[in-house]
């Protein structure tokens, strides 16, 4: 007999309604450096990654980013589930409320909607992994900014967990970039596309 229990990667248990905090955190759902763009970036890039172990890493991290997106959505939901119209008006959450009530919709903290233009999949191992390194650093900065502004420990703990995972992902992508470069001719790997011009064996 199978028992199925759905859990988040890290527990999210927020008891206080705070639409202003939700409006900030939602940037890590649909903002330019959020978890949605991260998951789409890595899960797209994996197909053309020439080093198969690096493609596997992109699959693993891309899948984990979906779990992080779920955490962010849970946080926004819990911060707004008991929201009143008066609270929405007083907090500046009213414009979002007009369009979406309390439903989850991907946007940045400034209200800019999510767009696929916020990430790239170039089909070049060096270009893609360099973007991935930058993406993890930018996401960490957003979490740093959120932690500077948010004092509620119920909100801070999952944010601190997510920030730590950005650091781990940055380290893994750094290792992946070096692993990929080891398979190339170091004198010319910037002069051809290592994914399109198959000049080394796959691993």
């Amino acid at each position: 007999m199978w028992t199925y229990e759905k859990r988040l990667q890290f527990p999210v248990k927020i008891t206080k309604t705070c639409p202003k905090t939700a409006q900030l955190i939602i940037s890590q759902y649909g903002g330019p450096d959020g978890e949605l763009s991260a998951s789409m970036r890595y899960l797209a890039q994996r197909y053309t990654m020439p080093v198969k172990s690096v493609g596997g890493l992109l699959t693993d991290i891309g899948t984990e980013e979906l779990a992080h997106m779920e955490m962010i959505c849970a946080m926004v939901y819990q911060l707004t589930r008991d929201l009143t119209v008066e609270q929405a008006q007083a907090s500046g959450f009213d414009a979002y409320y007009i369009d979406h009530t309390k439903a989850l919709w991907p946007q940045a903290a400034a209200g800019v909607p999510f767009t696929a233009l916020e990430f790239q999949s170039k089909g070049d191992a060096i270009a893609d992994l360099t973007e991935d390194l930058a993406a993890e650093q930018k996401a960490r900065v957003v979490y740093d900014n959120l932690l500077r502004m948010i004092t509620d420990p119920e909100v801070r703990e999952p944010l601190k967990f997510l920030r730590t995972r950005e650091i781990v992902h940055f380290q893994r992508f750094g290792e992946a970039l070096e692993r990929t470069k080891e398979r190339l001719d170091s004198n010319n790997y910037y002069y051809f596309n290592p994914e399109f011009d198959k000049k080394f064996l796959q691993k």
Side-chain angles (χ1 to χ4, degrees):
M1 179 177 177
W2 292 95
T3 301
Y4 175 77
E5 184 177 357
K6 181 70 181 76
R7 296 181 182 179
L8 295 174
Q9 191 178 12
F10 185 92
V12 175
K13 296 179 180 178
I14 301 171
T15 58
K16 299 175 185 176
T17 299
C18 186
K20 190 63 178 178
T21 299
Q23 191 172 12
L24 301 177
I25 291 175
I26 204 168
S27 211
Q28 282 300 78
Y29 174 25
D33 306 308
E35 307 293 356
L36 177 56
S37 63
S39 62
M40 296 299 98
R41 175 189 293 110
Y42 307 148
L43 293 174
Q45 289 176 357
R46 65 185 173 147
Y47 289 99
T48 54
M49 192 57 60
V51 180
K52 294 306 177 185
S53 60
V54 176
L57 177 71
L58 285 162
T59 300
D60 291 344
I61 295 180
T63 302
E64 185 180 354
E65 300 289 10
L66 290 172
H68 294 172
M69 185 184 75
E70 186 178 28
M71 284 180 61
I72 293 294
C73 289
M75 295 176 77
V76 173
Y77 168 71
Q78 291 180 21
L79 286 162
T80 59
R81 64 185 159 194
D82 297 321
L83 179 70
T84 66
V85 172
E86 291 75 21
Q87 287 173 317
Q89 290 174 318
S91 65
F93 199 74
D94 47 355
Y96 183 94
Y97 181 89
I98 293 299
D99 288 335
H100 311 291
T101 322
K102 295 184 287 184
L104 273 291
W105 190 74
Q107 68 173 44
V112 180
F114 173 78
T115 170
L117 295 174
E118 292 167 344
F119 66 91
Q120 258 296 356
S121 183
K122 293 298 289 183
D124 180 286
I126 303 301
D128 283 344
L129 289 170
T130 302
E131 170 164 348
D132 299 343
L133 285 163
E136 295 297 328
Q137 286 291 78
K138 290 186 289 183
R140 178 195 54 78
V141 170
V142 175
Y143 283 119
D144 284 340
N145 293 340
L146 288 168
L147 288 166
R148 290 186 187 104
M149 300 191 73
I150 296 169
T151 58
D152 184 346
E154 292 181 340
V155 180
R156 287 178 59 84
E157 289 308 307
L159 290 176
K160 285 159 64 176
F161 169 82
L162 291 167
R163 179 190 182 277
T164 300
R165 295 308 299 164
E166 305 296 351
I167 295 170
V168 172
H169 293 171
F170 178 81
Q171 293 171 326
R172 297 293 86 81
F173 282 134
E175 295 163 2
L177 179 60
E178 293 306 309
R179 192 180 318 148
T180 301
K181 287 162 65 175
E182 286 173 2
R183 304 297 307 279
L184 304 175
D185 181 346
S186 62
N187 292 321
N188 70 3
Y189 62 68
Y190 290 117
Y191 296 98
F192 67 88
N193 182 333
E195 297 176 32
F196 188 75
D197 304 312
K198 305 290 185 179
K199 298 193 177 185
F200 61 99
L201 296 176
Q202 296 185 355
K203 181 179 179 182

